[in-house]
Structure formats: structure tokens, C-alpha cells
Amino acid sequence: MNNFEYLRPTTIPEAVAAASVPGAAYLAAGTNLVDLMKGGVVRPSRLVDVGRLPGLTDIEHLPDGGLRIGALIRNAELAHDEGFARRFPSVAEALLSGASGQLRNAATVGGNLLQRTRCAYFYDTASACNKRDPGAGCDAVGGETRTHAVLGWSPSCIATHPSDFCVPLVAMDAVVEVEGSNGRRDVTLEDFHRLPGTSPEQESVLEPGELIVAVRLPPSAAEFASHARYLKVRDRTSYAFAVVSAAAALRMEGGRIAEARIALGGVALKPWRARAAEAVLVGALPDPALFRGAAGVALVDAKPSGDNEFKIELARRIVTRALILAAAGTPSRMPALPASPFAAPDGASQHG
Amino acid sequence: MVEMTSIQGQTHTRQGSSIGQPLTRMDGVLKVTGAARYAADHHPAGMLYAVMAVSSIARGRVASLDVAAAMAHPGVVQVMTPGNAPKLAEDPDAKTNPFMFRMDLLQNDGVRYPNQPIAVVIADTLESATEGAALLAPAYVTEPARVGLDGNASFAPPAVGVGNPAEMHRGDVDAGLKGAALRMDATYETPAQYHNPMEPHAIVATWDGDTLSIDTPSQGLAMAQGRLAGLFGIAPEGIHIRSPFLGGGFGCKGLLSGPQVLGVMAARLVDRPVKLVLRREQMYGPVGHRAPTRQTVRLGAASDGALTAVSHHAKTASSTFDDFFEPAADTAHTVYASPAIATSHEAVRLDTGTPLFMRAPGEATGSIAMESAIDEMAHACGMDPLAFRLKNYSDVEPISGKPFSSKALRECYAQGAARFGWATRPLAPRQMRDEAGLLVGWGMGTATFPALMFQGHARAVLRSDGTGVMETGAHDMGQGAWTALAQIAADGLGLEQDQVEFRAGSSDLPDAGIAGGSAHTATAGMAIHGAGADVIAKLADLAMDDQRSPLFGAGNTGVIARSGRLHRRDDEGRSESYGDILARAGLTEIEGRGASASDPAAQSAYAMHAHGAVFAEVKVDPEFGQIRVTRLVGAFAAGKIINPRMVQSQYYGGMIWGVSFALHEEALTDRRSGRIMNQNLAEYHVPVNADIPSVEAILVEEHDPHVNALGIKGVGEIGITGTAGAIANAVWHATGIRVREFPITLDRLMG
Ligand SMILES: Cc1cc2nc3c(=O)[nH]c(=O)nc-3n(C[C@H](O)[C@H](O)[C@H](O)COP(=O)(O)OP(=O)(O)OC[C@H]3O[C@@H](n4cnc5c(N)ncnc54)[C@H](O)[C@@H]3O)c2cc1C
Ligand code: SF4
């Protein structure tokens, strides 16, 4: 890799100042960034290591009932935090379905949100990629596209955002706290990642130098705890990115659905919140046919970006099943294979 | 207790208790503590780091390299290009024997596959060399890549595998098909697969004048030595290669690869020791791979299920510049009885590296197609797949009509089926569900692999302190050869395990042949056995000729060597220790030599194969198509088992690769550029622990008096055969969907 400057600031303002220059990148655990650097995919001239910044490693239960997760909390630590997993079980399940034990022990909350796409053409520096090299073109189009996007893509970029964690988070109205040279601001996770449009190189709404300091879950998120699931279909049983995934959560009142939350992963360049589908469910009794209808609404705008039409029907089926699972109730214990169709929670039948 | 008969005659017998014991790996502690030094762990004084720059196009030529930019990078010492690469004594494209494959050694600016080496940057540090290679920023003249099995004109290869005829037949297949009550005709496709041992190819090379010292993983030390001697025009004896440990070989380290030679050239160019280690993605091109295949199987059967015709045609691909043709159709020669059998191959030339040996080359690809086809035919006949296989059981090798040297396949079927619980399997597909509603399916496959032997040598020494030494240039790829061969050595010398020093893994030891073709235990083992017989015979002569020995005059009846003593065969109470015999003769040690080779008489009289049966249970999500292999039971008969623990591990490993073959592995090749898009271990999927919840391997007893004196067949490759087909068949049984394109991915099962 190229020679680069390595800085380890001790305060957030210092970090922000150091990272505001062109060519600078924040380094958290490096499980994504260092891989990309080794492959020559990104070549930052300055690394600003945020690993030892103070105040970013707490899980705080806020007075209003919300929760604030420091940006440097490790994925595994968060998933195994009992208080957290009990109140936000689908988020814990999503975290535990991602990557491998070793990676989860290292990967941070902030890094997970900002991990780059797994599009093979993005990783392959010999291919044209608008994300890597704005205006260069997109070699994924017309290439090997089985796992590319079916929602929100543009001819400029058909990649997906690979995070599992972000999917239930966006369903739960999570908010990202960022700090830049002009101080702190809040961005909803739903607005945090950008769709490609004509400028796929702009992946998030962060301004140069802005640092993720925390992710907040509002008090309402915990109201879904007893009916919240994450489901992830993948090409092997573990240690694989989602082909398609879905988070579903229901707030039940007297046997009826008072409120529903649905989000999809692996389908678009951002975690995909399906608000119109949620609306279909409000006030209804849980019912597989209804869920199937909602899943249809979630995918109405879907279209294949290549040889991936199957993902649309797969996504409908996953949303339907995730809703069935959520309606059946959160399992009392984390399944041995979190988010897997092979999880078999509490021995209950989940298949038609 | 194992009794072994000398191959030189019936005079002396050796007894020992090492063979057959499930000893743990002798090198296990070294490995788990990190004390085992692999090739890349060596750092001779003054060593530099070499990093290859590889081509990002499939076909064309390198128009320019920015050597100046690389040279200007701090730490870069030299850039090796076709302009300054050391001259070679032999054209690396020359072929003087069938085990020579063409290499890309910077002899010209041509590019004939993606990831072909186009330059080597040599620097003080790995980081400098890596960045130097990136700074070369090659420009190319690109020609269109020929990609995929339809990407070029097809032709009939002159031979497949290592010199097998490309076409063979017995009987009249057309008549057999015509007269059949039932016929099936199906085409199966397997993708290109690439080698991903944990340890990529690595070399540390040091020149001293015209002598060369090397640490590099090798499955064939003597051949590597010979190849280097030819390329550099030096004597083989002047080349010392050390390869005590390999982090996996699987065929890709059988022959020296181009990148390893580039490491030696780099060392010559800078006149310093050089280390060159392939990056993971650089494994996808210059070190061999498993070629893709498209196989058409046609079967005819009588109404009782007896096969009337078996036709297996395989299309495969080689590179544009060399010949290796995956012999996928050849498994039809050895498994199922049929009055008519025909096999044939065709090939295309693609802009890829040359495909080469990968664990069970031909058998793995061929078996997944044939076992799927047999299952389809069993279903068409309304028969249980096991009953169908038994109906078509062959007591002679189908293509040749030769008797088998041994064949305990019936026992494999019986023991495997019993252990698995096969008897309760419903005939129709999509009948079983688990308590969670997942589809459940059971499938089976027959496993076979030829019992081969190459030529090998060993040297044995008995010392007056009562200990022994056994030396052979054998290779331990991680499978436990150190241990199994040391067990043969101990019994061969009539000593306890801890009295024998076993030396292997170095080219200055006797040539042990190649660790390939599942033949290494037989080849090196028989050489060891022979060396033991030779030294014991010499020791016995010393004693029997000496009036002071209690063994004096035992010549006619012979002796038994056991636990460091020779005993009279006719009176075992009369014995003498090895040490006493040597001491009296005034010797500190005595040496014996052994050589091994297959026995041509036995080879022409018998067909020699290991056999097995694999049973698989899969679960499939009915809506998502996601698959999990929940249970695997294999039963294998492979002659004498030297170390059941190691053998079981070999079967497990093979069976897990079968899962990989059926469900995961695939080089995702861009249809336009020919570049492999998933050349990393995150995206090139192999099974992980969660994919293998339960695997069992049963060692079925088999005594083979013909393969070799020890009765050893190979176990290294057979596990992958049968397994992949069993899984494909189980997926069909679970879903009712027959997927004929591998790997079976969930989108193909969504219905
Ligand atoms: C083999 C493999 C398999 C994987 N499988 C999965 C999977 O199945 N599911 C899944 O969800 N993920 C998976 N991952 C991705 C993994 O979750 C991410 O690599 C990880 O979350 C990144 O976190 P990190 O702390 O290492 O980030 P880094 O690699 O350090 O950084 C990632 C990016 O985020 C930026 N960044 C980091 N922290 C901040 C911050 N506080 N503020 C602003 N910018 C920041 C960095 O500049 C960089 O651009 C996998 C990764 C690998 C290597
Ligand atoms: S899909 Fe997006 S990330 Fe992939 S090559 Fe195209 S522009 Fe780049």
C-alpha cells in the first residue's frame, strides 16, 4: 500500500480537524478499511485513528427511555449486552448474523454503518467503477450481477449496502449523531446513506471530517421488543453477506397490530425502510396473507439491475416470513444460528 | 499386532504395533504452538521481499510499465521485467516430459490469462515491494477474452488427465440405448474452481554461486529439483529444497509453479536471498485450477433396473497455451456394470491459466454428474437409489473386465446405510419435513478412486544404541504423513515408535516420488518397508553368520524382528538385541535401502481402486431455497489403514470438500473480461463450521493382497467423490427439483 500519515488524536475536535483535509480517512477497527487499502481500492494519504478517542465506548440508557450507543462499541459487545439485547432483540440478532466471531469482536458501530459496498467491481481496481472513480462508468452493469440491487439503483451504480446491523436500526428510527467542525448534529439513519443517483461516490450525508460519535435508538424502539425479528438469507449457513435480509417488528395491542416496522437489506445502496408496507398492517390482525400483501407493497418499485430478478420474489418471501416470525413473538433465547432460516426458534414451525 | 513379510523373500519377518494405531500427529504440538516453520517463516540474513505484478487482462500484451516510478519508491531495489530477467537455460514453454507444464517467467510481454505475472518488484520491505508493484501501472494492448465453455471452437483432445485415452468404449452403446426400456439423457455443468490452501505458494531462495537453497512448499521435491535444474542449467544436486510442512497442497503444489521460479530468478537478479509469497488473489491463475466441465450422461436400463448402456461425454477447457484436460468422463469406467460403456471428451481453449490437478481431478467432476444421473435413472425405474446401485454392482471393472484386487463396496453400502438409517427413506421426493417445516431430503453417492503407486526410495539405519533412522523425501501436506510414515518405519525396523528417528521433507533425502494421486502412503510407505527389510536382512546376516550369536545358523528358518531384537523363528526364546549384534560386529550402525514401484504383473491382472458410499441429509427452506447439509455419513474401504485417526480426517476433509463442490465453490468469471471477480476468501465460498453440523466416516475393513505388500490404497481424494453427488441427490429428494448446474444455489431452488 501507499505510504500514508498515521495520526492518533486524543480529542474529538482534534480528530475532526485532522480528518477535514482531502485524502484523510477515519480508521476504526480497520476490518473494512485496511482490506480496501491492501487491495489498492482506497489510498488515503492520512489515517486518523479514532480507536482511542474518549467517550465513544458507552452504552447509555437515556432518561427518556432511549438508548445511546457509542461509535466505538464493538459489534459483539453490543449484541451481547444483556440490557440491549432484551430491549432491541432484532438489532442484536442482526449483529450476530454478520461476519464472523473474530470480525464482530473487532468491528465498531461507526465502521459498520460506513462499511463500503461488497460489489466485486468496486473491489477490482481493473474495473470501471463510478464509486471509486467518479465518471469512470460502471462495469457491474452487464456483468456478474446476481447479488446487486433491485431497489433504488441507477444506471450509475447498482451496488448494495451490505450491513446487517443497519437494517433493524433503520426500522427502529435510529438516529446518527455526528460531530464536525461546526459542532454536533443528528441525522436519521434513514437519511444517512444516499442512493446512487448520478453521484454514487457520495455515499452518506457526512461532510468532510464529520465523525460518527453515537447511534441513538428512540424510546419507541423498545416497544417492539416482544415482536421483533431479523431474517437473513445467504449462500452459506454463516459468514456470508445477505443475499436479501429483512427486519420486521410489530407493536401489538389487544391482538391487533398497532404499529409495524419493516426494512430490507441487500437490496439497495442503503438499508431500505418500507414505510408503505408498514402502513398496510396498521390495525389489522396478524395474518400470512396480509403479510404477503405488505411484502408486495414493499417491493412494488423493485426492478432487476441484471441477472437478479429472483431477489425481488425472494425479498417478498423474506418480508412475509419475517413478519410471521415477528407476529409469533421474539424467541426467549437468541437462536443458535441468529437470523437464519435454520434457526428453528423454540421448535416452532415457521414454514408454509 | 501387525505382521509384515519382507518383500525380498520369505526369510525374515518383522512385527510391530505401530501400524493401525490412531496416533496423534507427531508435528501437532509444533503446529499449534507456532514452532513449525513454514516456507514463508524463513528470513535468511540480507533477505529482500519480492512481490509480483500480475496482469489485469486475459489476453494481449503489456505495452508499458512505469518501472521508473516503481524504482523511485523508497525501498525498491530492483524491478524484474522481460527486459532484465535472468536468462534461462531452458525455454519455460518447452515440454520434455508429460509432467512439465508451461510457465510464465517474464520471457516476453505477452499476456495469456488474468493474474499472469508481468513483473516482480524487489524491495527492502514487503510494503515497499507491494507499493512498487502498484506503481508499475501497466498499460496493455488488449484482445478479446475467450470466456466460458462456449467461448471458443471445440476439439477432441489427444489425451485427458495424465495420458488417459480421450475416448474409450466397450460394447455397443447405441444398441444398448435402443434396446433399453428406460432412457435418460441429461447434461450437468461444474464451474471452474481455484486452489485456496491456507498457505499460498511461497518461496525463500538463496543462491551461492551455482548452488541454490530453497524453502518452499512442495508435493514433489525431486521433480521440483529437476525442473529448477533444467531452467537454470545447474546440477540437481546443487539445489537443496526444504519442505517439511505444507499448509495444504491439494495438487497445486505438486509441480513447481511459475511464481516459485520467479522467486528464484529474483534472487539471482539481485544476488541476495529473496522471499516471494503469493497474495490470495494471485492464486487465481498461475498455480492451476479445476477446469469447468459440461457433461452429458446417457443411460439405458432394462425394466428390472439393469443398465444396458452408459455413455458419458465431458466437455472441458484448457488454457490457450498448454494441455491439461480434466478426465471427467473416466469415472464411468470403474463403477457401474453395463454391457456397453462409452466415454469421450472434448475441449475448448480459454484465456485462463492452465487448469491442473485439484483433489480428485476427473473423479470429483465426473462423479457429481454420474451419481446425479444414476439417481435420476433409479427414480425413473421406480427403484430405491441404493437398490439400483446394488442391481448394477460390478464384480469386475466394467471397462476392462478385470477382477478387482479387492472391493468391499457392498460392505460400504451396508454399513453406511445402516448407520445413516437409509432404509426408511421414502421413494418419492418432497415427502419429508422437520418439526420446523423445512424440507428434508436424503441422497447417496458411490465413491471411487484408483489405488495408484509411483516410484519411491528410502534409506534405513540401525544404530548400536538400539535406535533407528528412516529417511525419505516424503511430503506432509498437513494430512499427517509424518506420523503415518513413521509408523510404517517403526514396524519396518521392528522398533518401537519412539526409537525411530524419521526424516522427511527435504530434497537431500531419497526421492519419495510425488505426494499426489492418493499414492503417497503406498509409495513412500513401501519404500520405507523395503528399506526396513533390507537393513534387517543385513543385520540378520551378521548375527546368523556369527557363532557367538544365539541366532547362529538360523539362516534356513529366518528371524523375526520385534522391539529391537531378532528372534529365531523356530525358537522365539532365542534372541539378541540389535545393539548387541552391531557391537559384536564392531559397527556403530548399519544401513539398508528400499525402493517402491507398482507391480506390473499385479497391475495387468487386477483393477485397483478404493471404494466408498456416502449418504447425505439436507434441509432446504421451501421458500428461500437456502440449503444446509445436516448429516453426512461416509463408509470407505481403502485397504490397510495405517493410522485410523489421520484416515478419518482425510475422509472428513474430502467429504467437506464435497459439500463445497455441491453447494459453494465457483470462480465467478466476468463474461466479458474473463477476470475472476471473487478471488478472495470472503466471496469465494467454501463451507464454514455452521455448514458441517455432522460428519461421520466409517472405516470399512478391507484386505488387499495385490496392491502392494502392505495392502495400502490411498485415502486422500476419495472423500470428495460420491459426496458431492450424494448432496445433489439429497437436494432433489428434499425439493423435487433437479439442479444440474453446480454449485446448487438457492435461486435455483426457489421454485
Ligand atoms: C470477511 C468479512 C465478512 C463480513 N461479513 C459481514 C456481514 O455478514 N454482515 C455485515 O453487516 N458486515 C459484514 N462485514 C463487514 C463488517 O461489519 C465491517 O467490516 C465492520 O463493521 C467495519 O467496522 P470497522 O470498525 O472495522 O470499520 P473500519 O474498517 O475501520 O472503517 C470502515 C469505514 O468507516 C469509516 N469510519 C469508521 N468509524 C467511523 C466513525 N466513527 N465516523 C466516521 N467514519 C468512520 C472509515 O473511515 C471507513 O471508511 C464483513 C467483513 C468482512 C471482512
Ligand atoms: S455497481 Fe456501483 S460500486 Fe459496483 S462497479 Fe458499479 S459503480 Fe462501482
Side-chain angles (χ1 to χ4, degrees):
Chain A
M1 57 180 78
N2 55 313
N3 285 335
F4 54 83
E5 192 185 2
Y6 173 82
L7 301 177
R8 192 191 284 161
T10 52
T11 67
I12 291 176
E14 256 180 72
V16 168
S20 296
V21 303
Y26 285 120
L27 174 72
T31 61
N32 188 216
L33 182 62
V34 175
D35 264 7
L36 290 165
M37 290 172 68
K38 286 199 216 162
V41 180
V42 297
R43 297 169 67 88
S45 51
R46 169 185 282 185
L47 282 191
V48 181
D49 186 346
V50 297
R52 316 219 175 159
L53 289 181
L56 302 181
T57 54
D58 296 321
I59 303 174
E60 292 167 72
H61 294 270
L62 303 174
D64 68 355
L67 187 91
R68 187 169 179 278
I69 308 158
L72 286 180
I73 303 276
R74 311 286 162 173
N75 287 191
E77 193 187 344
L78 182 60
H80 292 301
D81 182 278
E82 241 182 75
F84 176 80
R86 207 176 43 246
R87 296 180 66 207
F88 311 102
S90 59
V91 185
E93 191 168 20
L95 281 168
L96 292 176
S97 75
S100 65
Q102 294 91 328
L103 284 159
R104 293 192 296 268
N105 286 340
T108 64
V109 160
N112 193 312
L113 262 56
L114 283 169
Q115 63 174 298
R116 313 292 298 274
T117 181
R118 304 303 295 196
C119 170
Y121 296 87
F122 169 72
Y123 271 75
D124 177 37
T125 52
S127 297
C129 170
N130 286 324
K131 244 187 203 309
R132 238 191 302 108
D133 186 6
C138 169
D139 272 351
V141 171
E144 309 312 312
T145 49
R146 177 174 174 271
T147 57
H148 281 80
V150 293
L151 281 164
W153 54 270
S154 76
S156 300
C157 179
I158 59 172
T160 63
H161 190 263
S163 168
D164 292 302
F165 181 42
C166 287
V167 180
L169 278 185
V170 81
M172 294 301 174
D173 286 340
V175 173
V176 187
E177 274 181 41
V178 301
E179 181 164 334
S181 43
N182 298 328
R184 293 210 176 182
R185 63 184 180 121
D186 285 351
V187 185
T188 63
L189 183 59
E190 201 177 350
D191 294 331
F192 183 78
H193 297 98
R194 292 170 183 255
L195 287 175
T198 51
S199 48
E201 74 283 3
Q202 289 175 14
E203 301 187 342
S204 75
V205 298
L206 288 184
E207 300 292 337
E210 269 189 321
L211 177 77
I212 299 179
V213 291
V215 171
R216 272 200 330 269
L217 282 162
S220 59
E223 292 168 14
F224 296 85
S226 55
H227 294 278
R229 289 308 299 272
Y230 182 66
L231 184 59
K232 174 180 179 185
V233 168
R234 47 205 130 163
D235 282 323
R236 64 182 168 192
T237 310
S238 180
Y239 201 17
F241 290 95
V243 177
V244 177
S245 68
L250 303 172
R251 186 163 61 76
M252 303 297 293
E253 268 173 19
R256 288 190 178 272
I257 299 167
E259 198 179 349
R261 299 288 176 83
I262 302 169
L264 286 142
V267 292
L269 203 45
K270 60 189 288 185
W272 191 266
R273 179 84 181 259
R275 287 188 184 272
E278 293 169 2
V280 171
L281 301 177
V282 176
L285 290 168
D287 166 52
L290 175 77
F291 292 157
R292 173 88 200 157
V297 172
L299 275 300
V300 279
D301 294 328
K303 40 181 200 319
S305 58
D307 297 332
N308 56 5
E309 184 152 20
F310 79 96
K311 284 181 72 169
I312 299 171
E313 175 57 18
L314 182 60
R316 283 189 204 106
R317 294 182 189 182
I318 292 171
V319 169
T320 308
R321 177 87 60 83
L323 285 165
I324 293 172
L325 289 173
T330 306
S332 50
R333 283 194 296 146
M334 182 64 69
L337 293 170
S340 169
F342 298 102
D346 302 339
S349 175
Q350 41 166 308
H351 308 276
Chain B
M1 179 167 289
V2 176
E3 193 163 302
M4 304 203 297
T5 308
S6 149
I7 52 168
Q8 267 101 342
Q10 297 301 313
T11 348
H12 307 306
T13 305
R14 289 161 291 152
Q15 288 178 345
S17 54
S18 286
I19 290 180
Q21 297 300 317
L23 302 187
T24 53
R25 279 175 171 71
M26 289 167 55
D27 48 353
V29 171
L30 288 181
K31 285 184 175 171
V32 297
T33 57
R37 279 157 67 82
Y38 288 79
D41 295 332
H42 292 87
H43 299 94
M47 188 190 83
L48 297 175
Y49 293 82
V51 167
M52 298 193 312
V54 298
S55 129
S56 62
I57 63 162
R59 181 182 174 205
R61 63 180 189 83
V62 178
S64 71
L65 290 168
D66 195 347
V67 173
M71 286 297 289
H73 188 68
V76 171
V77 171
Q78 189 55 277
V79 178
M80 185 165 76
T81 67
N84 64 350
K87 290 285 156 279
L88 298 169
E90 181 178 69
D91 177 1
D93 270 358
K95 279 169 92 86
T96 57
N97 74 59
F99 277 106
M100 264 171 111
F101 288 90
R102 300 193 161 109
M103 295 174 168
D104 293 279
L105 301 180
L106 304 178
Q107 300 300 295
N108 54 56
D109 63 4
V111 173
R112 42 197 192 181
Y113 55 92
N115 292 335
Q116 178 192 309
I118 54 172
V120 175
V121 178
I122 306 151
D124 292 337
T125 64
L126 176 62
E127 290 74 13
S128 291
T130 303
E131 182 61 10
L135 291 170
L136 288 173
Y140 301 96
V141 176
T142 308
E143 290 180 55
R146 289 154 292 191
V147 185
L149 286 170
D150 298 313
N152 205 345
S154 79
F155 62 97
V160 297
V162 185
N164 303 4
E167 274 190 51
M168 278 182 88
H169 70 274
R170 180 187 176 92
D172 186 340
V173 160
D174 289 338
L177 285 172
K178 215 164 160 205
L182 291 144
R183 277 177 289 275
M184 69 85 56
D185 180 338
T187 298
Y188 306 86
E189 290 213 27
T190 65
Q193 301 173 350
Y194 279 77
H195 281 287
N196 277 290
M198 291 260 271
E199 177 203 32
H201 294 61
I203 189 162
V204 177
T206 307
W207 285 93
D208 181 4
D210 263 355
T211 64
L212 179 58
S213 171
I214 289 177
D215 294 286
T216 199
S218 169
Q219 297 173 240
L221 285 164
M223 283 174 64
Q225 206 182 21
R227 189 75 163 115
L228 287 168
L231 286 168
F232 292 96
I234 57 176
E237 304 76 51
I239 303 170
H240 185 194
I241 310 176
R242 290 168 300 273
S243 178
F245 307 111
L246 285 83
F250 309 110
C252 68
K253 294 167 185 165
L255 303 161
L256 205 67
S257 66
Q260 287 163 296
V261 181
L262 287 171
V264 179
M265 291 169 65
R268 176 130 245 180
L269 182 67
V270 295
D271 203 18
R272 302 256 298 262
V274 161
K275 169 151 77 175
L276 187 153
V277 182
L278 292 198
R279 292 170 62 106
R280 181 58 58 184
E281 66 270 21
Q282 294 176 340
M283 297 288 292
Y284 289 69
V287 302
H289 63 280
R290 200 195 293 284
T293 70
R294 180 183 297 150
Q295 305 175 52
T296 301
V297 181
R298 291 180 302 149
L299 301 175
S303 50
D304 65 351
L307 289 168
T308 59
V310 173
S311 157
H312 194 161
H313 176 78
K315 182 173 188 180
T316 185
S318 191
S319 67
T320 55
F321 55 92
D322 212 341
D323 291 350
F324 182 86
F325 302 101
E326 176 89 359
D330 286 1
T331 44
H333 298 164
T334 52
V335 189
Y336 298 106
S338 169
I341 298 172
T343 59
S344 54
H345 294 86
E346 69 176 297
V348 293
R349 294 200 179 277
L350 303 178
D351 296 305
T352 66
T354 304
L356 276 170
F357 309 93
M358 185 188 283
R359 205 174 194 179
E363 287 81 9
T365 41
S367 134
I368 196 169
M370 181 53 79
E371 291 304 313
S372 296
I374 287 289
D375 218 65
E376 295 198 44
M377 194 51 155
H379 182 62
C381 293
M383 287 175 74
D384 170 77
L386 176 54
F388 184 79
R389 284 171 172 82
L390 287 168
K391 175 80 193 168
N392 291 291
Y393 195 87
S394 191
D395 288 311
V396 295
E397 187 183 46
I399 193 82
S400 67
K402 287 187 207 174
F404 289 103
S405 58
S406 63
K407 180 178 180 180
L409 178 56
R410 271 187 215 285
E411 291 75 12
C412 295
Y413 284 141
Q415 291 184 31
R419 177 78 200 160
F420 186 83
W422 182 260
T424 60
R425 177 186 179 275
L427 209 52
R430 219 178 167 100
Q431 298 299 303
M432 299 195 290
R433 298 235 181 188
D434 73 358
E435 65 282 358
L438 293 164
L439 298 168
V440 180
W442 291 356
M444 67 167 297
T446 304
T448 58
F449 197 83
L452 306 172
M453 240 177 108
F454 304 119
Q455 291 177 11
H457 302 269
R459 173 176 173 267
V461 175
L462 290 173
R463 296 189 289 216
S464 56
D465 64 0
T467 63
V469 179
M470 186 66 77
E471 294 183 336
T472 181
H475 320 83
D476 191 323
M477 301 175 286
Q479 82 278 41
W482 276 112
T483 312
L485 295 177
Q487 289 176 259
I488 299 174
D491 283 8
L493 293 171
L495 287 172
E496 301 303 324
Q497 195 72 60
D498 58 5
Q499 294 174 298
V500 180
E501 187 188 330
F502 179 64
R503 299 179 187 151
S506 179
S507 67
D508 56 358
L509 300 173
D511 173 11
I514 188 165
S518 296
H520 202 42
T521 309
T523 304
M526 283 306 299
I528 289 167
H529 181 68
D534 187 42
V535 75
I536 291 292
K538 286 182 179 157
L539 184 73
D541 285 348
L542 280 182
M544 294 182 309
D545 292 347
D546 185 341
Q547 297 191 3
R548 292 165 294 172
S549 169
L551 303 173
F552 176 66
N556 292 335
T557 55
V559 299
I560 298 170
R562 182 168 65 221
S563 299
R565 300 182 76 83
L566 298 184
H567 302 256
R568 273 186 82 111
R569 191 198 292 277
D570 54 356
D571 178 2
E572 291 197 27
R574 291 166 68 184
S575 69
E576 190 170 31
S577 74
Y578 299 175
D580 288 349
I581 298 169
L582 288 173
R584 195 156 5 75
L587 295 174
T588 54
E589 60 176 49
I590 184 169
E591 181 194 286
R593 299 261 171 182
S596 62
S598 58
D599 168 10
Q603 293 258 309
S604 68
Y606 297 101
M608 300 174 178
H609 301 274
H611 294 94
V614 183
F615 298 83
E617 175 183 89
V618 304
K619 293 190 177 178
V620 181
D621 187 290
E623 287 144 9
F624 308 153
Q626 193 177 321
I627 310 162
R628 192 173 189 220
V629 178
T630 44
R631 220 147 54 85
L632 276 178
V633 175
F636 301 92
K640 165 78 81 199
I641 298 307
I642 303 298
N643 182 321
R645 184 192 301 269
M646 304 298 153
V647 168
Q648 212 147 25
S649 297
Q650 284 286 59
Y651 292 150
Y652 292 159
M655 291 165 76
I656 291 166
W657 202 326
V659 176
S660 198
F661 199 124
L663 304 183
H664 300 129
E665 267 185 83
E666 171 172 31
L668 190 68
T669 307
D670 183 88
R671 58 198 74 182
R672 303 153 302 182
S673 68
R675 293 175 55 70
I676 297 165
M677 300 312 300
N678 59 345
Q679 47 193 17
N680 62 72
L681 282 173
E683 265 85 13
Y684 184 93
H685 281 179
V686 297
V688 296
N689 281 328
D691 291 302
I692 314 291
S694 166
V695 53
E696 286 181 69
I698 301 168
L699 312 189
V700 174
E701 193 161 331
E702 187 178 67
H703 176 65
D704 193 314
H706 305 296
V707 277
N708 48 59
L710 289 170
I712 300 170
K713 297 178 178 176
V715 298
E717 292 163 273
I718 187 170
I720 183 170
T721 77
T723 307
I727 292 164
N729 295 335
V731 168
W732 169 79
H733 190 240
T735 61
I737 300 169
R738 177 61 69 176
V739 178
R740 299 192 183 88
E741 202 178 329
F742 299 100
I744 303 174
T745 48
L746 58 95
D747 40 315
R748 293 172 174 149
L749 293 176
M750 275 176 53

